[in-house]
Structure formats: structure tokens, C-alpha cells
Amino acid sequence: MRTLTPAEKLLRSLGITSPTEIDVEAIAWDAGADVRFAQLDSCEARIIGYGERAIITVEERSLPTRKRFSIAHELGHWRYHRGRSFVCRKDDIGNPTRGPADPERVADAYAADLLLPAYLFAPLAGKTKRTTFEAIDSLRAEFQTSRTATALRMVDYGPEPAMLVCHSPTGRLWFKRGPDVPDRWFPRAELDAESFAFEVLHGRTERTPRSLIGADAWFDRRDAEQYEVFEQTVRTAAGGSLTLLTFKSTEMLES
């Protein structure tokens, strides 16, 4: 049985048994942090603590899902970095490009466990038949989280082996493999013009249906041309693309 993370243990101790019960402001208050909202010109959120009490201030103009993640992120700092003050810029929060030991990445991991706890998320994700953005959008509405945060969780706990890849017009920003996807599958830095994602990133398409495509459109390996993967892409709010690659061949998953 999987060991609960500190954030999940906290939720369990509070008796939380469904996504609708995750009131992040109430959780913050219980942890000794008062949440306030204000216009912040130089950052997305900040936490200032003294002793056993802290004040978390969050950008009031952000989307509701962003506010929730920012609060949970600052609670991650309160849990792991107490005694230090943090002023978190927009690209500090929810940025998968940072290394796992980076304090901002540590706070992000705590936030994901708090808002999308595996003991609640995994059973619901497992009930979906496919790893698609339609399934992700349904789950994110239930957990009140962003599409990207929910998609990252879906890669970990969804019903199919998958990879999530994010591109900007200048190239690949980051990617995440699911636990069943071998390390040898490393996505190309630039989008292949034959990929369905290319039209999303450089054209006017907002979302593509889940479709089969040759794996060599995504992976620069000699054996990739032997396989196919399912691809589905959506446009991000920042004008980039977010792609789900689902592995249909068991041979691709062999170590």
C-alpha cells in the first residue's frame, strides 16, 4: 500500500473524503496561516511567517484555480521552509522545469498532494476509460484545479501509460513521463510538422481529437518508426501547446 505524503496525511487528519471538502483557505487557517488577497505587481503570492503564525498574500486578479494552487504552494513553504520568507513570481509556481530539490518545486509537489491527493484522485482517474483531455477536464472541475496540474496528475494515475509534453513556439518547455513509460522515450525538442500538435501551436486549432500517429513524429529513435502512439493536444492560455501521448504498444513499455 502506498505511503501517504505529508499533505495527504494532513487531509486525512481533517477527515477529508471528497474533493469538494478541500477548502484550502480553511486548511491554511488550521495550519496557522491567514490568507489575504491583494494586487501584487511583482509576484503571484508570498508568505511571511513569525513563530507559529503566517500571512499568505495572493494575487487577487488570478483565476480561482490559480489562487487555490498559490495558497497550497505557500503552505508547502510553510511546511518545509518555515523560518524563511518567500516571494513567489508567476514562473515560480507550477513550473515543472525546476529541479526536484528546488524549494519552489518542493512547494509545488506539496500543493499537488494537497489539492489532488492520490487517495482521492487515483480511484476517480482509474474509472475513466482513456487518458484524454475530456477526462482531465471532468476531473479538474471536480477538484477545482487547472488543466495542467490535473493533466500532470493524470499521467501518474490515469488508466493508460502516458506522457505529457508542453511546447512554446520556440520549442519544448518540459515533459513528464508516467511511471510505466521507460526513460528511453525522450520527446523531440521541436514539434514535427506532421504532428497534430503542430497545427495547435502554429495554427488556429484549439484542440485536437485523440488520434493515432507514428511514434517517430515524437521520438527521435531508430525503432520509433515501428510503433504508433495516441496523440491529443490543446492550446494553453499562454499560446503554447499541451500534448498527451498515450502508449498503445506494450513493446514500447518494455525495459
Side-chain angles (χ1 to χ4, degrees):
M1 187 174 181
R2 192 184 69 87
T3 302
L4 295 177
T5 66
E8 292 169 335
K9 288 178 181 178
L10 173 61
L11 294 175
R12 287 281 203 184
S13 72
L14 295 172
I16 291 175
T17 59
S18 74
T20 57
E21 296 173 350
I22 304 175
D23 184 335
V24 72
E25 290 183 56
I27 292 170
W29 179 259
D30 186 75
D34 181 23
V35 177
R36 302 177 182 179
F37 299 93
Q39 291 190 13
L40 303 174
D41 294 328
S42 59
C43 64
E44 187 76 11
R46 65 180 181 230
I47 182 168
I48 299 174
Y50 182 78
E52 297 301 313
R53 300 297 301 178
I55 296 175
I56 294 173
T57 307
V58 177
E59 169 56 62
E60 66 181 5
R61 294 165 291 187
S62 296
L63 293 173
T65 54
R66 182 67 175 183
K67 291 177 182 176
R68 278 170 53 80
F69 197 89
S70 293
I71 295 168
H73 175 97
E74 299 306 326
L75 285 175
H77 285 314
W78 190 230
R79 168 66 173 77
Y80 289 105
H81 312 120
R82 190 169 299 199
R84 299 166 60 184
S85 295
F86 283 86
V87 176
C88 301
R89 302 184 305 273
K90 188 172 184 178
D91 59 357
D92 288 331
I93 300 175
N95 185 347
T97 64
R98 292 179 176 272
D102 186 288
E104 302 301 343
R105 187 73 178 274
V106 171
D108 276 346
Y110 186 89
D113 287 338
L114 194 68
L115 299 180
L116 294 153
Y119 75 88
L120 295 180
F121 187 86
L124 295 175
K127 291 180 181 178
T128 62
K129 295 181 179 180
R130 295 177 175 178
T131 300
T132 64
F133 280 113
E134 288 74 24
I136 287 166
D137 287 345
S138 177
L139 288 168
R140 77 184 181 108
E142 192 158 2
F143 283 88
Q144 300 178 61
T145 47
S146 70
R147 177 180 286 144
T148 299
T150 312
L152 286 165
R153 216 58 163 170
M154 190 68 155
V155 167
D156 283 332
Y157 299 108
E160 300 173 290
M163 176 183 288
L164 188 68
V165 190
C166 182
H167 282 86
S168 75
T170 59
R172 189 188 66 235
L173 295 177
W174 53 264
F175 72 96
K176 180 179 181 179
R177 299 183 190 90
D180 297 324
V181 179
D183 291 349
R184 70 176 181 273
W185 297 111
F186 198 97
R188 296 175 181 270
E190 303 294 335
L191 276 181
D192 190 298
E194 298 300 318
S195 68
F196 304 110
F198 192 86
E199 180 57 30
V200 173
L201 188 62
H202 299 290
R204 297 184 178 181
T205 303
E206 293 292 323
R207 178 193 293 240
T208 65
R210 171 174 152 129
S211 305
L212 274 174
I213 189 169
D216 56 340
W218 282 93
F219 304 104
D220 188 17
R221 285 181 55 91
R222 183 177 300 175
D223 56 344
E225 62 184 17
Q226 304 173 31
Y227 307 112
E228 290 181 314
V229 293
F230 286 104
E231 175 195 329
Q232 187 181 21
T233 300
V234 295
R235 188 188 302 276
T236 67
S241 64
L242 198 62
T243 300
L244 277 171
L245 299 176
T246 307
F247 293 72
K248 65 184 290 285
S249 170
T250 56
E251 293 181 7
M252 292 185 74
L253 303 175
E254 294 175 354
S255 300

